[in-house]
Amino acid sequence: MDDKTEKRSGIRLQAYLAHCGVASRRACETYIADGRVSVNGVIITVPGTKVQESDTVCVDGRPVKIEKALRYVLLYKPAGYVCSLSDEKGRATAADLLKNAYSERLYNVGRLDMYSEGLILFTNDGKFAAVVSHPSAELEKEYIVETSIPIPEELIIRFRKGIHVESVFYRCKSIELLSPQRARIVLIEGKNREIRRVFESFSIGIRRLTRVRIGRIRTGNLRSGDFRDLTEQEIHDLIAVCKNKNRF
């Protein structure tokens, strides 16, 4: 179905929300199922419902409209910020750091836990977010971890081969010891708090955890709290890395 046909017949609600910069399509499906979305004053809980641009669509009671300008932003998240558009506990969010610079509603692609720092992507392009964040894309993410005690060889061996922690299987793509208490780790899946949980299973505390690379994009001159727009080439490269296993 081309764009003109889609406009005449309507657009699926989750796709409409993604085009509005609310979240990725998958996340928008959850918003709908949770009863957070209304169309012309009626709560809709069934993903796939067709809407027109002339309809009044609200998320949590706030109207949303399709955004014309697409944004792709790289942020160096400081430790202490949560990756959420809002936080019920009133904690500072990574999105807060971008509000004064962008009028569009941007959301994070993937996550970093509150105590970790480093690179994270923000966008209002739901299609881009879905491709880049999908597990099948196997997008590399590189971290530097600094620990409170020396890292044992057993941890390195088992993390490479794969390890179960509380019934969850974790395996890194690579791990390299930089010093007795410092390592470089590359993940391609990035399950929730993966590095922390593996190290905690060996009773090793993490003093600092920093994401220094996403795909081919590195920190460069960014410092904690800094952000910049991705270049056209960087956007193209991210899509190119993912497209072999995920259609954009």
Side-chain angles (χ1 to χ4, degrees), residues 60-127:
D60 296 332
R62 296 176 56 187
V64 296
K65 288 289 185 183
I66 290 179
E67 295 180 344
K68 304 303 181 183
L70 296 178
R71 300 288 187 184
Y72 309 87
V73 180
L74 180 69
L75 168 70
Y76 189 122
K77 185 189 86 69
Y81 286 76
V82 296
C83 288
S84 175
L85 294 182
S86 61
D87 185 69
E88 60 185 15
K89 297 181 181 179
R91 296 172 296 185
T93 70
D96 292 337
L97 299 170
L98 305 176
K99 286 182 177 179
N100 291 334
Y102 299 94
S103 60
E104 296 84 6
R105 176 171 173 161
L106 304 178
Y107 56 90
N108 48 283
V109 181
R111 292 177 178 270
L112 278 173
D113 69 60
M114 179 177 178
Y115 301 106
S116 297
E117 61 184 272
L119 302 182
I120 187 165
L121 299 172
F122 277 79
T123 190
N124 61 344
D125 184 345
K127 190 174 182 181

Side-chain angles (χ1 to χ4, degrees), residues 35-46:
R36 299 173 60 183
V37 181
S38 66
V39 178
N40 300 326
V42 178
I43 297 294
I44 303 296
T45 58
V46 180

Side-chain angles (χ1 to χ4, degrees), residues 120-183:
I120 187 165
L121 299 172
F122 277 79
T123 190
N124 61 344
D125 184 345
K127 190 174 182 181
F128 170 83
V131 171
V132 173
S133 62
H134 198 280
S136 67
E138 296 187 349
L139 183 64
E140 288 189 2
K141 299 177 183 69
E142 181 179 325
Y143 303 79
I144 300 297
V145 58
E146 300 174 18
T147 61
S148 56
I149 61 175
I151 302 169
E153 182 68 20
E154 182 185 1
L155 183 152
I156 294 172
I157 293 172
R158 294 185 64 188
F159 203 1
R160 281 177 183 153
K161 291 183 177 180
I163 180 174
H164 283 90
V165 179
E166 297 180 352
S167 300
V168 179
F169 183 73
Y170 300 107
R171 180 169 59 194
C172 64
K173 180 173 183 179
S174 66
I175 179 169
E176 173 190 2
L177 199 62
L178 302 176
S179 71
Q181 295 177 217
R182 195 165 180 263

